[in-house]
Amino acid sequence: MLETVIHTENLTKQFGDFTAVDAITFDVYKGEIFGFLGANGAGKTTAMRILCGLLSPTSGEAKVAGFDVYKESEDIKKHIGYMSQKFSLYNNLTVKENIQFFGGIYGIERKRLKEKTNELIERLGLVHEADKLVGSLPLGWKQKISFSTAILHEPRIVFLDEPTGGVDPITRRQFWDMIYEASNRGITVFVTTHYMDEAEYCDRVSIMVDGAIAALNNPSDMKKDFGVKDMNDVFLELARGAKRGE
Amino acid sequence: MAEVKVRNISKTYEKGTVQALKNIEFEVASGELFGLIGPDGAGKTTLFRLLTTLLVPDEGSATVAGFDIVTDLWDIRKIVGYMPGRFSLYQDLSVEENLNFFATVFNTTVAENYHLIKDIYVQLEPFKHRLAGKLSGGMKQKLALCCALVHEPKVLFLDEPTTGVDPVSRKEFWDMLDLLKKKGITIVVSTPYMDEASRCDRIALIQKGEILEIDTLPAILEKHERPLFAIRAKDRYRLIQEVRAYEETVSCYAFGEENHVVLKNDLEGETEFKAYLKDKGFEGLSFSRIAPNIEDVFIKLMLEQETHA
């Protein structure tokens, strides 16, 4: 039986008379890789902020890891991981310091954190870099550390906001290897991306247009429904119809 | 005629400890749309800053429209348009004020060169009184392009104009570049999106400060033609694991809905490879031979660069 880890029903967010998120309804299941796509300004970021417990919705329902977005946002924050390309790690802390800082914030007990830090550094092959400043490392490494840090406290769900922007094609794929591995361990992955080939790597994909979910399915059925060859064409078909000015 | 000529340029930072560019050499013909394609940290921005006279090279030389980037900097600054990777307009000026400001700095008026920006500006006009800082990403990008064009530059340098932009807006942006190209402007544009290579006349693939390859897209694909396999099956995670564990496998990476596999002896081991996968009992296994695309080539060149280093 599929276990639901994110549930939304008619979830809506208004800013004044502007409806940023317009009655979206969907479920995400345990261990799933869920692609959350949409044009710039379609409402993705607002929806994601609600699901991370950072913003209260105007109406509708949403539960994340079993917690209510209105009343239990602090519990949500403890049970999720979050990584974005814009903000991930502190450049002027070392690799080890970063891992311990974020692990500490997520409330991992000190002794356990020490073990986990060493274990992670070893697994990432960064033993020689452990005491180097993160700022001196290549972007691809930073992103791997950042992702590993986001799931160090073994959250039920990890939110990834454009995690692979600008990275080289090999690192981008190594990053997806890490996503697969996490999902295989039962962590649900909720990911946004502008690379349409990455949409194909997801178990299911939703595409937002003008605040609403215009399509939600697995990539192969979605392509079949639209009669097109790849996800880029699906995206172009849907987002071209967007009315909302940027 | 070459509008941009780069001769053996090298540039380091941090007292020579960080090599940003290494022996870069290329030319861009007048009226050409030239793409610099590579990931973050490849050296694209350094190259733009050199060509727009904001940095001086350690070694080598370059000219833009016949002017030397070190000795003729004031001449170059008058005739190039530059759109930096980070949004650099005045956030607390309106759309219209920004545009007028840039026109005035270059001793011209918006009216004088309106023909150049018209197609783009009409989309901005409804918001002309809005502060630039309050525009959405796509609109900022259009305004920045207008401001870089308003003095009718001979050469346009665009540093990652489509990064972080959704596929629809990206396509629209490249359509705008096609129109500018028709007006005879030479354009040098950088991007981390490999699929945008097909929109350029010629491309340079750049990584770790070096140009890996430079030519038209079809010529690059042909030169690095190496048969590979595209395979797919239901359980993708396990499939990739099993393919990588196979002793003849050189590389296996996800590409859209398929996985591209390079074997040591190219196609010779096909039968054995198929048998190996069949034995593993994958559901919905499919198997085909394909020619590499630009990302396959980039990956191959990256791996070669690493072995030479």
Side-chain angles (χ1 to χ4, degrees), chain B residues 240-254:
Chain B
I240 291 177
Q241 302 292 326
E242 295 287 6
V243 172
R244 286 188 185 152
Y246 186 59
E247 56 179 13
E248 293 295 308
T249 300
V250 175
S251 66
C252 170
Y253 289 110

Side-chain angles (χ1 to χ4, degrees), chain B residues 5-18:
Chain B
K5 270 190 206 173
V6 180
R7 291 279 173 264
N8 209 28
I9 274 198
S10 295
K11 176 73 188 171
T12 60
Y13 293 121
E14 308 281 331
K15 295 177 182 154
T17 55
V18 178

Side-chain angles (χ1 to χ4, degrees), chain A residues 46-107:
Chain A
T46 305
M48 196 141 149
R49 293 187 64 193
I50 295 172
L51 297 177
C52 290
L54 299 171
L55 193 67
S56 199
T58 309
S59 62
E61 284 169 39
K63 274 191 169 178
V64 178
F67 299 105
D68 185 90
V69 290
Y70 292 96
K71 290 173 289 185
E72 298 166 313
S73 60
E74 288 310 308
D75 293 299
I76 291 178
K77 288 178 200 165
K78 282 179 203 146
H79 290 84
I80 61 167
Y82 176 81
M83 174 202 164
S84 124
Q85 213 220 332
K86 287 177 196 110
F87 173 77
S88 47
L89 300 166
Y90 289 101
N91 279 329
N92 48 1
L93 293 183
T94 66
V95 172
K96 205 180 223 170
E97 286 166 345
N98 263 294
I99 298 173
Q100 297 199 323
F101 175 78
F102 285 103
I105 281 194
Y106 281 119

Side-chain angles (χ1 to χ4, degrees), chain A residues 9 34 102 114 132-133 153 156 160 197 231 244:
Chain A
E9 213 166 311
F34 190 84
F102 285 103
K114 208 171 167 190
K132 282 192 185 157
L133 295 185
H153 59 299
R156 309 218 25 221
L160 308 174
D197 61 330
M231 284 303 291
R244 189 181 280 181

Side-chain angles (χ1 to χ4, degrees), chain B residues 103-115:
Chain B
T104 312
V105 164
F106 284 100
N107 258 325
T108 181
T109 59
V110 175
E112 199 170 327
N113 293 314
Y114 191 68
H115 63 280

Side-chain angles (χ1 to χ4, degrees), chain B residues 261-280:
Chain B
V261 183
V262 178
L263 295 185
K264 277 178 196 156
N265 289 317
D266 289 341
L267 299 177
E268 274 176 35
E270 183 175 348
T271 326
E272 291 85 342
F273 183 44
K274 272 185 173 161
Y276 169 85
L277 288 176
K278 274 225 175 82
D279 268 4
K280 301 286 174 190

Side-chain angles (χ1 to χ4, degrees), chain A residues 2 22 37 45 60 62 69 81 105 112 125 146 148 170 180 206 208 211 229 237:
Chain A
L2 291 173
D22 193 1
L37 314 182
T45 307
V69 290
I105 281 194
R112 177 107 184 86
S146 176
S148 309
I170 295 181
Y180 280 125
S206 77
M208 275 186 89
K229 67 178 192 321
E237 286 275 329

